[in-house]
Amino acid sequence: MEGLSTRDGMRAFANPVAQLMFNTVESILRPYIKVITYAFGPYLPTTSELNHPFNYKFQKWIVSPLSFVLIFILMIPMFAVFVLRNLLHQFRRPYCLSVSQDAVAKQSSSFYTVATGNLCLMPEIMSKFNNLDNTAVRGKTIGERIVVDQRHYTGLTEKQMAKKNGGLFSGCLATSNICTKVKESSKNMDFRADIITHFPAVDFLCLQETFDRDVAKILLKELHKVYPWILYDVGYNSPRLNYCGLNSGLMFASKYKILDAQFKPYTKSCGFCSTVSKGLLMVKVFLDCPKPGIQHVGYVFNTHLQAFQGLYVYMIDFSWLLKHFLTHFWFELGPKVTFF
């Protein structure tokens, strides 16, 4: 396992020449992928596109045919670039670490909070299958909402913890929240269920489906305003694992220093997940140092399991793999930790 001791973060490649080649290849492929989106996009229209019929017809009858011509003209050279991209992937790290010197690291606390979110930040043409478009705009907006809410509604989580009494929530967090009194018949007790309408200020943020590397960097730039340490572009890329398709889509943002990390891919998948490098991201974070020579650290785990497994029973295999991965990570880094 590779310790993350670098101050300025860690890029995909240790070799700067390989990093430059990879960036060049990505820059060449980026406009070609855009052309593919223009070609096939009108045949997967979203609701928002159909609400603008003139623009939609222009895209379908003018832009799309011209894009198909470009696809066939550039197919052979782009295929060569795609092969080079896949070869470079075999020599890269399984994740990137970005460190912001502007965001302020959080001091030690008596409790720690985690939030998770599935964002569907796929390449544009794939997002259309979920009736979503403008992936870059959505990525930036999501980041802005998380940051603004954490800056202006920082007391939500603290109020929630303060109101917790014997495992029960005694009230709402804010007047903007929706509160519902729930009767738990099995234990014959009442408690409050809260729906928070603002994103809470959390210490650790575990995100899934940040597949699009460019959009992930847009989101990362926003999140860095409140999270100093961020792991992104997580996953392996090979013909055996994901047919050289998408990364895992996992992203992890932390207000505490990331000490170490590992990514372990799942060995089985089906359907769309066959093209995704899904797996388990395991992170070790520094919490505090109560006295010289003693460190309090924690583990945070982020994963995205198989979707729509159908007749397959991959979830059982995943449970065994998760147990194996966690046990290995636990023994390798030492037993005295705080779990999340």
Side-chain angles (χ1 to χ4, degrees):
M1 182 183 300
E2 184 177 6
L4 305 183
S5 59
T6 177
R7 174 181 171 83
D8 300 320
M10 191 171 68
R11 307 184 76 177
F13 293 87
N15 189 311
V17 176
Q19 184 68 57
L20 177 61
M21 291 178 62
F22 184 77
N23 292 343
T24 303
V25 166
E26 289 280 290
S27 299
I28 295 173
L29 285 175
R30 192 174 292 115
Y32 190 68
I33 294 174
K34 197 73 174 178
V35 171
I36 293 175
T37 301
Y38 288 145
F40 291 95
Y43 299 95
L44 294 169
T46 63
T47 302
S48 61
E49 290 173 336
L50 292 176
N51 288 334
H52 299 83
F54 177 79
N55 291 338
Y56 169 67
K57 292 178 180 179
F58 178 78
Q59 292 288 330
K60 184 174 183 179
W61 302 114
I62 303 298
V63 177
S64 179
L66 293 175
S67 299
F68 274 113
V69 173
L70 280 176
I71 288 174
F72 286 108
I73 291 175
L74 300 174
M75 183 177 294
I76 294 178
M78 287 299 105
F79 179 76
V81 175
F82 181 73
V83 171
L84 177 59
R85 169 242 189 205
N86 296 334
L87 289 175
L88 288 171
H89 262 295
Q90 310 314 306
F91 302 97
R92 58 158 293 170
R93 297 182 174 106
Y95 49 75
C96 299
L97 171 67
S98 180
V99 180
S100 172
Q101 306 300 331
D102 298 326
V104 179
K106 188 174 180 180
Q107 301 300 315
S108 60
S109 175
S110 58
F111 64 90
Y112 303 93
T113 52
V114 184
T116 182
N118 192 313
L119 306 185
C120 197
L121 296 179
M122 302 179 181
E124 189 80 15
I125 191 64
M126 295 182 179
S127 294
K128 285 176 172 287
F129 283 97
N130 294 294
N131 197 30
L132 295 170
D133 55 6
N134 296 323
T135 307
V137 175
R138 286 193 295 112
K140 183 176 177 60
T141 303
I142 291 170
E144 289 175 344
R145 179 62 187 268
I146 292 174
V147 171
V148 169
D149 281 5
Q150 291 209 30
R151 285 178 171 175
H152 297 283
Y153 300 92
T154 55
L156 288 177
T157 306
E158 287 77 3
K159 290 180 182 179
Q160 185 180 30
M161 297 302 296
K163 290 177 180 290
K164 191 173 182 182
N165 181 17
L168 304 179
F169 292 111
S170 59
C172 300
L173 307 186
T175 56
S176 59
N177 297 334
I178 302 172
C179 299
T180 306
K181 191 174 183 179
V182 182
K183 183 78 171 181
E184 188 175 338
S185 57
S186 61
K187 297 182 179 179
N188 193 27
M189 60 176 62
D190 296 334
F191 65 93
R192 291 279 184 172
D194 299 327
I195 299 176
I196 303 174
T197 56
H198 296 286
F199 199 92
V202 294
D203 302 317
F204 308 106
L205 187 57
C206 299
L207 301 176
Q208 302 86 42
E209 291 197 2
T210 60
F211 293 119
D212 192 301
R213 188 176 292 107
D214 295 326
V215 177
K217 291 179 179 179
I218 295 174
L219 174 62
L220 177 146
K221 184 178 179 181
E222 294 297 323
L223 293 180
H224 259 323
K225 295 174 182 178
V226 290
Y227 290 100
W229 292 276
I230 300 178
L231 289 169
Y232 70 102
D233 195 10
V234 180
Y236 292 100
N237 197 300
S238 71
R240 181 179 62 87
L241 281 176
N242 62 342
Y243 302 105
C244 300
L246 302 174
N247 59 26
S248 70
L250 300 178
M251 178 183 286
F252 174 74
S254 173
K255 293 181 179 179
Y256 293 87
K257 183 178 181 180
I258 296 176
L259 299 176
D260 223 323
Q262 257 192 7
F263 174 77
K264 293 292 185 179
Y266 299 135
T267 55
K268 294 182 179 180
S269 60
C270 63
F272 169 74
C273 293
S274 299
T275 64
V276 177
S277 177
K278 287 192 172 181
L280 175 67
L281 177 63
M282 302 171 284
V283 186
K284 178 182 177 181
V285 294
F286 172 81
L287 299 178
D288 67 356
C289 185
K291 55 184 178 180
I294 297 180
Q295 286 188 350
H296 287 170
V297 299
Y299 285 168
V300 188
F301 308 111
N302 188 13
T303 191
H304 190 192
L305 300 177
Q306 169 73 47
F308 309 113
Q309 67 174 353
L311 298 178
Y312 299 94
V313 288
Y314 290 152
M315 292 301 180
I316 298 177
D317 296 326
F318 287 167
S319 64
W320 286 104
L321 280 174
L322 286 170
K323 180 180 179 181
H324 172 72
F325 294 158
L326 297 177
T327 302
H328 179 77
F329 195 66
W330 163 264
F331 282 110
E332 187 166 349
L333 291 186
K336 294 183 178 181
V337 297
T338 301
F339 274 98
F340 295 99

